[in-house]
Amino acid sequence: MGEALIIDTCRTPRGIGKAGKGALSHLHPQHLGSTVLRALADRTGINTADVDDVIWGTSSQVCEQGGDLGRMSALDAGYDIRASGVTLDRFCGSGITSANLAAQAVMSGMEDLVVSGGTEMMSLPKKGVLPMGANNPHLQEIHPQSHQGVCADAIATLEGISRQTLDELAALSQSRAQRAIEEGRFSRSLVPVHNPDGTIALDREEFPRPGTTVESLSSLQPSFPKIADYRHTEDSKSFRELINQKYTDLAIEHVHHAGNSSGVVDGSAAILWASPNYAKAQGLKARARVVACANMGDCPTLMLNAPVPAAHKVLQKAGLTINDIDVWEINEAFAVVSEKFQRDLNLDREKVNINGAAMALGHPIGATGAMLIGTALDELERCDGQFALITMCAGGGMAPAVIIERV
């Protein structure tokens, strides 16, 4: 088995994901994708005719985000028409999955130069987006699948994790993100987004709320009580009933709100992968290599618990232990996901989400995984670390994971 080298990564800033309010919300999603694809080509000097494939993650593949966003973004970026493209959906895990598939293609020897990444504009209307399980009554009977926010509250209730604890983690994420921004820790990967007329649309993170405290978070109302009782049709079960279908005696305590849940944002990110032979022949300097990647499924009803077994699986594949990992990136889809992950693995919390994460910066679904890999690599270089493990929960009760090693 060969090696898959990371040559470079880049990403847009995250814009607030509300139509008419976010700095990126007026742009086409292909424009965001082409921004990072063009930047990656400019930064590395590659001949885009050599790109074997563009593997892209996008979760809501409807309307403007439909029609193979990866291929269309590459064409919009001016890539050679020989650079093919495909778009995939593993819900929140799409960005890591696109990276893992790119790495596997290179490691197998079938490809020499691949771009992975993702785009998600959460400001777009969600026309045609169905609930988890796509209203399949047979599937819901076998594996009831609820709303992710209600799942997060259910997990916190089952685990006995308090709102106070979750708010403390959310405030920490904000303060770490603020420090990272002030110290320029994101500057190597961040590329500005321009309007079609050449003016700047966004060149900084738009979502963070500096100065957030546990006290300010305590005033926020829980987000999911009403959603828990929502029914798609008169005959369907509510999200609460779907969880209680399997966890019959669970009285869900609602502890998540806008401040300790991931931010709704727009964004895009890309990673350039190469084989060692291609990199050497073209004079490309590698920044990292893939050590191992893995996928894991878990309970679809609770939905958010797969990152822990995914981490164990990818560590075993890599022949590494928890103590070998210098940088951990676990997506903060909800505070309970990160809190449970750190508790279950008994991690050194100073190594986890060192520069803040989705509660402070936002979570552009299909792009987040690619962003996290880039953030982890930048941090490895900053702190002179060797290994980083990146994972995240995904709809349907899944989690992709990857371990990279700094070169």
Side-chain angles (χ1 to χ4, degrees):
M1 184 69 70
E3 286 190 333
L5 304 177
I6 296 178
I7 304 302
D8 201 8
T9 74
C10 66
R11 68 173 178 87
T12 69
R14 297 168 177 91
I16 292 172
K18 293 184 179 180
K21 295 184 178 180
L24 303 177
S25 63
H26 64 291
L27 298 171
H28 198 287
Q30 293 172 15
H31 184 83
L32 289 193
S34 69
T35 294
V36 290
L37 286 167
R38 188 182 304 111
L40 202 60
D42 290 345
R43 287 156 62 114
T44 59
I46 59 167
N47 179 357
T48 60
D50 290 346
V51 174
D52 294 303
D53 212 357
V54 175
I55 305 176
W56 217 242
T58 303
S59 185
S60 296
Q61 294 184 36
V62 296
C63 300
E64 291 92 339
Q65 290 195 158
D68 194 352
L69 185 53
R71 168 63 169 173
M72 299 307 156
S73 296
L75 292 174
D76 192 67
Y79 274 40
D80 191 282
I81 59 172
R82 287 170 284 185
S84 186
V86 64
T87 303
L88 59 85
D89 174 16
R90 199 194 293 274
F91 305 109
C92 299
S94 300
I96 292 179
T97 297
S98 71
N100 287 353
L101 291 177
Q104 290 162 15
V106 173
M107 293 169 75
S108 72
M110 294 295 103
E111 313 282 15
D112 282 306
L113 189 67
V114 181
V115 180
S116 71
T119 302
E120 201 83 37
M121 291 195 66
M122 300 181 74
S123 58
L124 292 174
K126 297 300 184 287
K127 297 176 183 178
V129 177
L130 294 174
M132 200 66 62
N135 288 335
N136 179 354
H138 178 257
L139 177 58
Q140 289 291 47
E141 188 62 32
I142 301 171
H143 294 295
Q145 296 178 70
S146 184
H147 183 281
Q148 289 193 342
V150 182
C151 293
D153 285 341
I155 293 169
T157 303
L158 286 166
E159 296 288 330
I161 299 175
S162 69
R163 172 166 170 167
Q164 174 75 17
T165 296
L166 301 178
D167 284 354
E168 289 172 356
L169 190 61
L172 178 63
S173 184
Q174 290 281 357
S175 65
R176 285 180 171 180
Q178 182 178 356
R179 177 187 64 189
I181 292 168
E182 291 173 350
E183 295 182 2
R185 296 188 185 185
F186 300 139
S187 59
R188 177 162 188 175
S189 292
L190 206 64
V191 297
V193 180
H194 292 85
N195 291 308
D197 65 4
T199 59
I200 292 288
L202 187 65
D203 60 0
R204 59 177 178 79
E205 299 291 351
E206 191 176 28
F207 187 79
R209 296 171 175 81
T212 296
T213 64
V214 175
E215 289 71 28
S216 64
L217 292 173
S218 68
S219 65
L220 299 177
Q221 294 297 310
S223 296
F224 304 110
K226 289 184 179 179
I227 292 175
D229 294 317
Y230 174 76
R231 302 173 190 273
H232 293 290
T233 67
E234 291 184 2
D235 297 331
S236 64
K237 293 182 178 180
S238 69
F239 289 126
R240 189 188 308 278
E241 288 170 334
L242 287 168
I243 290 178
N244 288 144
Q245 181 178 323
K246 186 165 185 178
Y247 296 87
T248 53
D249 298 324
L250 183 64
I252 300 172
E253 181 180 353
H254 295 287
V255 292
H256 287 90
H257 50 77
N260 61 20
S261 304
S262 55
V264 176
V265 294
D266 300 330
S268 189
I271 304 170
L272 182 64
W273 303 85
S275 66
N277 287 341
Y278 183 89
K280 182 178 180 181
Q282 300 299 317
L284 298 173
K285 184 178 180 181
R287 296 177 62 193
R289 71 178 186 94
V290 162
V291 181
C293 49
N295 298 299
M296 179 61 74
D298 201 86
C299 172
T301 301
L302 292 178
M303 202 176 299
L304 311 177
N305 282 342
V308 170
H312 283 302
K313 185 176 181 179
V314 77
L315 284 167
Q316 183 179 21
K317 284 179 174 289
L320 298 173
T321 70
I322 287 171
N323 292 332
D324 292 318
I325 304 301
D326 302 295
V327 173
W328 297 80
E329 285 288 338
I330 168 68
N331 186 42
E332 292 174 343
F334 301 93
V336 73
V337 176
S338 177
E339 179 63 26
K340 185 177 188 302
F341 187 82
Q342 295 181 73
R343 289 187 182 195
D344 288 358
L345 296 176
N346 192 28
L347 298 181
D348 178 351
R349 290 176 178 251
E350 294 302 313
K351 296 182 178 181
V352 183
N353 295 349
I354 298 166
N355 297 312
M359 289 189 288
L361 296 163
H363 174 25
I365 308 294
T368 302
M371 290 183 171
L372 295 185
I373 292 170
T375 297
L377 176 52
D378 288 345
E379 182 58 26
L380 282 178
E381 292 172 341
R382 190 195 69 82
C383 70
D384 195 27
Q386 183 176 5
F387 295 110
L389 190 154
I390 304 98
T391 188
M392 60 202 308
C393 60
M398 299 183 288
V402 62
I403 295 175
I404 62 172
E405 180 181 17
R406 182 171 66 95
V407 174

